[in-house]
Amino acid sequence: MVRTTEQKRFRRSQYWKGNWQLYACLVPGLLFLFVFKLLPFANISIAFKQFKPMKGLAGSPWVGLKHFQKLFSDPAIWQVIKNTLVINLLQLVFISPVAMFFAILINEISHRWFQRTVQTIIYIPHFFTWVVIYSVFFILFGSNGLINQVITRLGGKGILFFVDSNWFRFVLVASAMWNKVGWGTIVYLAELTKIDQDLYDAAVVDGAGKLKQIWHISLPSLLPTFVLMVTIRLGTIMTDGFGQILVFYNPSVYDAADVISTYVYRVGLGQANFSYATAVGLFESVVGLLMVLGSNFLSKRLTGKSVW
């Protein structure tokens, strides 16, 4: 039966009346995206001008690609880019697989109360600010922290985790894991609950143990979600970690910990070089976009699934 225009309008109005609360929940997120993601694009021309706050955007002279030439000729920026990629790739390599591993372990716990207790304990750190996390890790890894006290009492030499560039990245990765792994398990646990229980029952009948069930059922079922999480994470690989590193690092570890976002913060606000900082930020965004597109393409080719 062909619906008339009036019938379609009536059904549409009924749909909106029944679901307007769900769409209202989107408003804060959309406002955030508009104010902090879309609105700044109106001032992207700062990257191509010698911006002077007193003259304003319209009165500042146009300099073209001058700041981008400075960007690619500045030796410091390549170290900053290297630090950004290394730190975020290390976190990507450890956080996503460990979150999936913990999700599988929690899913195998038979007692529901114990399962919920463990899950709550490991994802509580997600709600801590980086200042709180820094305090915890400084107590553990500071020059007079618990770890160094144990090392010295065993006859070893204390390690300056927060000053030694060779160890500082370990602190960053460890603290990021403590903050993010527990929350990541929620996504994988939700995916595990969607697996048909008949698959596990059939595996038991065939004589498969727990390890074989995990290897042949759980892991293949989690792979699309894992790829999705990695794809999303790659999109922020050039921008993520600003709050954490700004709280944790100090001038003695700039060579190993200064990332693009902290570099933009120091140059843009610390030296009031707004045009150069905008050029660096624009470069950062373009690289992030290319990485998302590339990872999404590879995901579609390898697994047949993608974000879009």
Side-chain angles (χ1 to χ4, degrees):
M1 182 178 65
V2 179
R3 296 185 182 132
T4 63
T5 303
E6 292 182 358
Q7 288 176 327
K8 290 181 179 179
R9 289 178 178 174
F10 176 77
R11 290 178 63 87
R12 192 179 298 115
S13 64
Q14 290 297 109
Y15 172 81
W16 282 106
K17 287 180 181 179
N19 298 279
W20 68 268
Q21 298 94 334
L22 297 176
Y23 288 96
C25 292
L26 293 174
V27 173
L30 292 175
L31 286 175
F32 176 85
L33 288 175
F34 177 76
V35 173
F36 294 101
K37 301 297 181 180
L38 296 179
L39 201 59
F41 275 99
N43 297 320
I44 202 68
S45 61
I46 293 176
F48 304 94
K49 291 188 173 186
Q50 191 62 47
F51 179 69
K52 301 293 183 183
M54 298 301 295
K55 294 183 178 180
L57 185 60
S60 299
W62 183 272
V63 295
L65 300 177
K66 174 185 175 181
H67 301 297
F68 293 94
Q69 293 172 351
K70 178 183 176 182
L71 167 65
F72 294 113
S73 62
D74 185 3
I77 195 64
W78 296 111
Q79 182 62 38
V80 168
I81 293 173
K82 177 184 175 182
N83 293 339
T84 304
L85 293 175
V86 170
I87 292 172
N88 283 284
L89 285 175
L90 284 173
Q91 293 185 8
L92 179 65
V93 167
F94 284 99
I95 291 175
S96 294
V98 171
M100 187 166 60
F101 174 74
F102 269 98
I104 293 174
L105 291 182
I106 293 173
N107 188 62
E108 294 298 326
I109 298 175
S110 57
H111 299 287
R112 291 298 176 188
W113 66 269
F114 185 61
Q115 182 187 75
R116 292 170 182 171
T117 302
V118 172
Q119 184 180 354
T120 301
I121 290 173
I122 66 173
Y123 79 61
I124 280 179
H126 176 78
F127 300 99
F128 295 166
T129 65
W130 284 116
V131 175
V132 173
I133 296 174
Y134 171 80
S135 301
V136 172
F137 272 76
F138 191 79
I139 293 172
L140 291 174
F141 295 98
S143 57
N144 295 316
L146 296 177
I147 302 298
N148 274 319
Q149 289 182 24
V150 173
I151 293 175
T152 53
R153 288 184 181 182
L154 292 176
K157 185 179 179 180
I159 302 173
L160 300 176
F161 290 98
F162 286 88
V163 179
D164 190 339
S165 298
N166 296 322
W167 282 100
F168 188 73
R169 287 176 181 170
F170 161 77
V171 176
L172 290 178
V173 174
S175 59
M177 289 179 62
W178 190 59
N179 175 253
K180 298 178 182 179
V181 164
W183 187 257
T185 60
I186 295 177
V187 178
Y188 294 110
L189 280 171
E191 189 64 27
L192 286 170
T193 59
K194 294 165 56 178
I195 300 176
D196 190 351
Q197 187 61 37
D198 292 340
L199 294 175
Y200 292 105
D201 295 337
V204 172
V205 172
D206 291 338
K210 283 294 183 182
L211 289 178
K212 288 188 176 180
Q213 292 176 36
I214 292 172
W215 182 260
H216 294 287
I217 300 175
S218 300
L219 286 178
S221 300
L222 291 177
L223 182 60
T225 303
F226 176 78
V227 172
L228 174 64
M229 297 294 286
V230 170
T231 301
I232 295 174
R233 181 71 175 79
L234 284 173
T236 60
I237 198 170
M238 300 293 286
T239 59
D240 200 19
F242 170 73
Q244 178 195 15
I245 296 175
L246 187 66
V247 171
F248 274 69
Y249 83 157
N250 55 78
S252 62
V253 292
Y254 277 173
D255 60 323
D258 199 18
V259 295
I260 293 179
S261 53
T262 56
Y263 179 77
V264 170
Y265 175 80
R266 289 193 298 107
V267 173
L269 296 181
Q271 302 177 16
N273 195 345
F274 303 109
S275 295
Y276 181 64
T278 304
V280 177
L282 180 58
F283 167 75
E284 176 185 50
S285 301
V286 171
V287 173
L289 174 62
L290 293 177
M291 295 194 73
V292 169
L293 294 175
S295 60
N296 189 70
F297 174 77
L298 290 176
S299 171
K300 194 171 185 178
R301 291 291 299 271
L302 296 175
T303 66
K305 295 185 178 181
S306 59
V307 178
W308 64 85

